[in-house]
Amino acid sequence: RSHIPLSGRNPALQEALGIRPHVLVMNKMDLADPRRQPVSAGAGPGGGQRWCHRQPCPCSLQVVPMVASLVAEGPRYHRAESSEHNILVIGVPNVGKSSLINSLRRLHLKKGKATAVGGEPGVTKAVLSRIQVCEKPLMYLVDTPGVLPPRLGDVEMGMKLALCGAIRDHLVGEDVMADYLLYTLNKQQQFGYVQRYRLGQPCDHIEALLKHVALTQGRTQRVKVLTGTGNVNMMMLNYPAAAYEFLRDFRAGRLGRVTLD
């Protein structure tokens, strides 16, 4: 049985979910290093927990049968007066909860998206109405805002969550996140960024990398300088924009398949 690192899950939910059947969906496994992926599949400690790998189609095909099986096998969920399945979708921010619901809806009902999605945390701001995703069995999913522990005692865990988009970038700082990302890539000997940015060799200093990215990607900004003879407009390298470019390339998989844990 494989163990999922705590940085990929909200530990506060484990106690609540441990006694209930649930499906754990691991999203975007195509972006993970295949040498560091969990490989087990089967019942876990949650009394019916399943591991569901890869995204989007194989995962979507498995979710509905898994949920139907878990509900049917759980005596406390048998309700003669109502045969419908009502499922709550929960997880850390920006892991694809809304995308999963839309994918299931397209797959089983041939309908368009029912809930908004985005590439940053906080798109879903409130618990929405039930969204039908399947006719047989009749199944409704409820989308929820992402949840995190109120405090992250482990700084490194927080950095990993931020790199994955679970925390808004500006709350941590794009430059700090870019520095940690470069450290992690070098530590794991993941040198896809060298080829991506056409560097001669791996780089140990984030300032040098961001300068190169800003120059090659044209990330500049106009700055007004006050002088004794008047105002002068100067073009300067935009390091925050270069840091964001670095983070965006990582999240899109353009720096290679990387697993932070």
Side-chain angles (χ1 to χ4, degrees):
R1 183 182 295 161
S2 62
H3 297 281
I4 306 302
L6 284 179
S7 59
R9 303 181 66 182
N10 182 350
L13 293 176
Q14 186 59 43
E15 183 177 355
L17 293 178
I19 62 173
R20 295 174 174 85
H22 57 281
V23 176
L24 173 63
V25 179
M26 301 187 67
N27 209 21
K28 295 187 177 179
M29 292 297 291
D30 56 313
L31 298 181
D33 185 347
R35 298 169 298 177
R36 303 170 69 88
Q37 290 183 20
V39 295
S40 294
Q49 182 171 309
R50 304 292 198 275
W51 312 112
C52 193
H53 288 193
R54 298 200 174 277
Q55 182 252 10
C57 294
C59 173
S60 301
L61 287 170
Q62 297 176 47
V63 168
V64 169
M66 283 182 180
V67 171
S69 173
L70 292 176
V71 173
E73 294 171 0
R76 59 196 297 263
Y77 291 87
H78 287 175
R79 296 186 177 97
E81 70 278 7
S82 178
S83 60
E84 65 191 36
H85 301 352
N86 296 289
I87 313 299
L88 192 67
V89 182
I90 58 177
V92 299
N94 201 34
V95 295
K97 297 182 294 295
S98 301
S99 296
L100 173 65
I101 291 176
N102 291 332
S103 179
L104 290 171
R105 186 173 169 85
R106 286 193 301 268
L107 180 65
H108 295 283
L109 293 180
K110 311 302 180 185
K111 301 288 187 179
K113 70 178 184 178
T115 181
V117 300
E120 60 181 25
V123 174
T124 303
K125 300 182 182 300
V127 176
L128 304 179
S129 302
R130 298 187 308 166
I131 302 171
Q132 184 180 354
V133 296
C134 189
E135 186 68 37
K136 294 182 180 179
L138 183 56
M139 184 176 297
Y140 295 91
L141 299 188
V142 179
D143 200 4
T144 62
V147 287
L148 282 173
R151 291 184 179 180
L152 295 174
D154 188 328
V155 174
E156 190 168 14
M157 179 193 299
M159 293 300 301
K160 292 177 181 178
L161 288 169
L163 286 177
C164 293
I167 303 172
R168 291 186 180 274
D169 293 347
H170 72 273
L171 297 178
V172 180
E174 289 86 348
D175 55 340
V176 176
M177 294 167 58
D179 194 8
Y180 179 78
L181 175 57
L182 179 61
Y183 159 77
T184 301
L185 294 175
N186 288 337
K187 181 180 179 180
Q188 296 187 11
Q189 297 186 343
Q190 296 272 7
F191 300 127
Y193 70 91
V194 176
Q195 181 178 3
R196 171 71 181 173
Y197 303 126
R198 298 178 182 177
L199 297 170
Q201 58 186 0
C203 179
D204 288 327
H205 301 287
I206 190 60
E207 294 84 1
L209 175 62
L210 295 184
K211 180 178 180 179
H212 182 84
V213 172
L215 287 171
T216 56
Q217 302 290 333
R219 302 296 178 181
T220 59
Q221 57 184 343
R222 189 183 300 275
V223 178
K224 182 177 292 187
V225 179
L226 303 180
T227 68
T229 57
N231 299 339
V232 178
N233 290 325
M234 298 182 60
M235 297 299 295
M236 300 184 63
L237 296 178
N238 192 335
Y239 284 88
Y244 179 72
E245 184 80 14
F246 185 37
L247 297 174
R248 186 169 59 178
D249 284 342
F250 163 71
R251 291 165 178 165
R254 290 190 283 265
L255 304 183
R257 300 179 62 177
V258 180
T259 300
L260 297 176
D261 283 308

